[in-house]
Amino acid sequence: MSKHEGLARDSLGTLESIVMGVAGTAPAFSVAVTTATIVAAVGVLSVGSILYCGLIMFGITLAFIHLSKITPNAGAAYAWVGHVFGPRWGFFAGWGLLVASVFFMVSATIPAATSTLVLLAPHLVDSTHWVAGTAALWLTAVTLVVTRGIKHSSYTQLTLTVFETAILLALIIGAFIKYSDAPMHPPSMIWISPVSFTPQVFATGALTAIFFFWGWDVTMNLSEESRSNQTGAGGAAGVGAFWSVLNMMLFFTIMMVVVLIALNDQDIANADTNILLAVATKLFPAPWNYLAVFCTIVSTVGTIETQILQFSRSMFAMARDRMLHPVYAQVHPEWQTPWMATIVIWGLGMLLLFTSSYMPSVKEILQSSILAIGFQICFYMSLAGFACAWHYRKKLRSGPRRAISYVLWPALSATFMVFIALYSIPTFDTLTNVMGAGGLLIGFIPLLLNERRFGRQVIRSSRP
């Protein structure tokens, strides 16, 4: 196998980067897997939670775009936080993403599995063993596509995203036509009013809402494989991140309104991960309503693919810098992908799926993994926000626009994420705390082992 200098450079343009960012947030998947959880937590204030979390996430997006100007790096947050605050902080920024990605292999593949069983064997949908087994098949299939090369991945994403977008637009238009006069939940300014939120309600809704937006930063992990002709904008990767997050802010807010006007609270609770099917069934006759099931499967496959890309590139970059064992920096000589790191997330995902098959219900698996992932997202993204604000602190004297874009917005977003994470810890059950905080603390083991093996390392590749 080749050494690490083998990623396929200049493979992704702006359009492909935008598609990757949209696919990373997985519109249909995010709505399907998270809506029941957030509505159960904060009710109609779900709309405001998503809107305000979108504004918070956009501040983090600006941080990633500006930090990418230091140098394109497959490690993204790991490399740039390490450049600003030192290698240990960089390591834990990368570790937070790695752990969240592994848990995501459960919360992402399960909706694909349940949707598949809805089509093929509806009586098995509530069986955790059958769901986990079907999820394992999906994980294996997607891993094979990702391992074959970044171009294969981008072509797959483009096809899946076009199909997904067409179905979701049909659902949005159909819902507003049918329920504009008699909505299940009458729209109100209360849904987005800041005074409707207490600190606890905001933190509870925000931790789940953050899960909606997570995944766009895969574009930044692909920055070494993206074109860099857009000077000053972070290259194609930065442009892709910018537009994908803006589009998703608009889409998720509208889609939450669609769910609330089309379904009552009991419908939402009963639908669980099949929320799009529940909406489609209200709008379209069979078998056309089952296009929503295909939409969920397509979106889920897309986000599994992007998350494997994100994990493998982060692990590759960390191993390249000897913050993890160098074996994970191996790149396939023909496909130019970090194949060892890709196999790692496949193996860990299979292990977690096997373990989750013994949990009492599919719903419990999803709720615990979503909250734990939300905590870890807050951790590593807040580090990136603070790193951007500190690195560009001199921009405070460069005029209001630069001060807000480079320093104030990223810093405020990072502060909100810290608040959300800390405020939520006491509300977690033991399993969620073990998965969320415990998953981060385990990072001390590989960090100390590699420091002992190689000595204290400087993050070489993140230096200008």
Side-chain angles (χ1 to χ4, degrees), residues 3 43 56 92 121 146 203 207 220 233 270 381:
K3 295 180 180 180
I56 292 171
F92 277 103
V146 172
L207 193 68
M220 309 311 295
N270 292 340
M381 286 195 167

Side-chain angles (χ1 to χ4, degrees), residues 91-92 94-96 98-100 102-103 318 323-324 348 351-352 375-376 379 431-450:
F91 173 88
F92 277 103
W95 185 260
L98 295 183
V99 174
V102 171
F103 288 142
M318 294 171 76
M323 298 299 286
L324 292 174
L348 291 173
L351 177 63
L352 282 181
F375 177 83
Q376 289 149 1
F379 175 79
L431 176 61
T432 306
N433 271 319
V434 168
M435 293 172 67
L440 293 175
L441 292 174
I442 290 173
F444 279 104
I445 297 174
L447 174 65
L448 295 176
L449 285 175
N450 280 284

Side-chain angles (χ1 to χ4, degrees), residues 277-299:
L277 175 60
V279 173
T281 300
K282 291 286 190 78
L283 301 175
F284 306 114
W288 297 106
N289 60 327
Y290 277 91
L291 283 174
V293 180
F294 284 110
C295 185
T296 301
I297 294 174
V298 163
S299 182

Side-chain angles (χ1 to χ4, degrees), residues 2-3 10 18 21 33 46 96 160 207 211 213 215 217 228 238 254 259 264 266 295 325 334 360 388 413 417 435-436:
S2 71
K3 295 180 180 180
D10 295 325
I18 294 173
V33 76
S46 303
L160 297 179
L207 193 68
F211 186 84
F213 291 97
D217 50 321
S228 54
I254 293 174
V259 170
N264 58 40
Q266 192 60 48
C295 185
H325 197 287
E334 179 183 353
C388 179
S413 294
M417 285 197 160
M435 293 172 67

Side-chain angles (χ1 to χ4, degrees), residues 160-368:
L160 297 179
T161 302
V162 169
F163 179 78
E164 177 184 1
T165 301
I167 295 175
L168 291 174
L169 283 175
L171 290 178
I172 291 170
I173 294 169
F176 280 116
I177 291 174
K178 183 170 182 179
Y179 289 99
S180 58
D181 295 330
M184 294 296 177
H185 296 86
S188 168
M189 289 301 295
I190 293 174
W191 291 8
I192 59 173
S193 172
V195 299
S196 301
F197 292 85
T198 64
Q200 182 176 359
V201 170
F202 179 78
T204 302
L207 193 68
T208 307
I210 281 173
F211 186 84
F212 275 86
F213 291 97
W214 184 47
W216 60 267
D217 50 321
V218 65
T219 61
M220 309 311 295
N221 289 99
L222 298 172
S223 59
E224 289 186 36
E225 298 158 87
S226 302
R227 293 171 197 151
S228 54
N229 54 347
Q230 287 87 358
T231 306
V239 175
F242 180 89
W243 287 109
S244 62
V245 172
L246 277 184
N247 287 329
M248 289 302 96
M249 284 174 60
L250 179 63
F251 168 78
F252 284 133
T253 303
I254 293 174
M255 198 65 208
M256 183 54 64
V257 172
V258 166
V259 170
L260 288 173
I261 66 174
L263 304 176
N264 58 40
D265 291 340
Q266 192 60 48
D267 291 334
I268 295 170
N270 292 340
D272 200 14
T273 60
N274 293 311
I275 199 84
L276 291 179
L277 175 60
V279 173
T281 300
K282 291 286 190 78
L283 301 175
F284 306 114
W288 297 106
N289 60 327
Y290 277 91
L291 283 174
V293 180
F294 284 110
C295 185
T296 301
I297 294 174
V298 163
S299 182
T300 307
V301 169
T303 195
I304 295 168
E305 181 180 311
T306 56
Q307 207 55 50
I308 293 174
L309 287 169
Q310 194 168 16
F311 176 98
S312 62
R313 270 58 180 179
S314 294
M315 177 171 271
F316 160 79
M318 294 171 76
R320 178 174 60 186
D321 296 335
R322 294 188 172 182
M323 298 299 286
L324 292 174
H325 197 287
V327 70
Y328 304 123
Q330 291 186 19
V331 174
H332 194 280
E334 179 183 353
W335 302 329
Q336 295 181 283
T337 56
W339 69 280
M340 280 296 297
T342 305
I343 289 175
V344 169
I345 191 171
W346 172 82
L348 291 173
M350 295 292 281
L351 177 63
L352 282 181
L353 284 171
F354 174 77
T355 304
S356 69
S357 68
Y358 291 95
M359 290 184 71
S361 72
V362 173
K363 189 173 183 178
E364 285 188 33
I365 299 170
L366 288 173
Q367 286 180 339
S368 293

Side-chain angles (χ1 to χ4, degrees), residues 4 29 41 44 49 82 86 117 126 155 185 215 287 295 348 369 375:
H4 63 73
F29 161 80
V44 295
S49 293
L117 292 173
D126 294 323
Y155 294 151
H185 296 86
C295 185
L348 291 173
S369 61
F375 177 83

